[in-house]
Amino acid sequence: MVETTLSGASHHILTNDYASEWMGIEVLKVDDGHATIRMHLRQEMLNGFGMAHGGMIFAFGDTAFALACNPANPTPKQAANITVASGVDINFIKPAFKGQVITAVANRRASTGRSGLYDIQIYAATPDDKAAPDTEPGELIAEFRGRSRTISKK
């Protein structure tokens, strides 16, 4: 499963996440309210125009959203709940293409009670682009905004 990557970052919700496994998602960083993930765009992720299918970009952003919403190491009280999407919007800015590496950076913007608001930026770069540690990991290709709701697992 996708649970642990070379970076050492892991998240329990990926243990049985077969979609994320198929996409080849790597977890780069997970903190409270934050997640950074990456994947390589493959041939089978492209649409008829030869660019990344919008559904692939959406699913990728949704995974970053889920990782940022749910604690990587939940307390027993937190483990009784899950945080899910109550709504999302995505704006596609530029296309991405086969062979590019896309990176999603998810951050919590607000949280009150059982509701939260998250912004996820998705970037694309060629595999040989080496971004400096404090710079954006490529060109911005999509902005994803997620609204979350914490509910009981049962």
Side-chain angles (χ1 to χ4, degrees):
M1 288 290 102
V2 181
E3 188 175 357
T4 303
T5 67
L6 294 176
S7 69
S10 66
H11 203 295
H12 65 93
I13 68 170
L14 294 176
T15 301
N16 293 310
D17 186 338
Y18 301 106
S20 293
E21 179 183 18
W22 178 84
M23 289 190 293
I25 291 175
E26 298 174 76
V27 179
L28 301 179
K29 184 177 181 183
V30 178
D31 290 319
D32 182 39
H34 171 83
T36 302
I37 62 174
R38 124 179 114 198
M39 77 175 186
H40 290 77
L41 288 173
R42 304 185 313 262
Q43 180 75 32
E44 61 272 21
M45 297 174 166
L46 307 181
N47 63 21
F49 299 112
M51 61 183 71
H53 191 288
M56 291 290 119
I57 302 299
F58 183 92
F60 182 65
D62 190 49
T63 297
F65 176 37
L67 294 174
C69 289
N70 289 280
N73 299 301
T75 65
K77 183 179 177 182
Q78 290 172 323
N81 297 313
I82 56 173
T83 301
V84 296
S86 63
V88 299
D89 298 296
I90 190 165
N91 292 291
F92 299 105
I93 299 165
K94 294 182 78 168
F97 300 95
K98 178 184 172 187
Q100 286 189 303
V101 176
I102 61 174
T103 302
V105 180
N107 287 295
R108 181 187 304 127
R109 296 294 177 220
S111 179
T112 182
R114 295 184 300 143
S115 299
L117 182 66
Y118 294 77
D119 285 335
I120 299 90
Q121 288 76 39
I122 302 171
Y123 302 91
T126 57
D128 54 344
D129 285 349
K130 302 292 183 207
D134 293 329
T135 63
E136 295 173 347
E139 290 188 85
L140 184 66
I141 62 164
E143 287 273 357
F144 182 114
R145 173 157 274 194
R147 294 168 302 283
S148 69
R149 187 73 171 170
T150 300
I151 60 173
S152 173
K153 274 188 177 177
K154 298 177 184 194

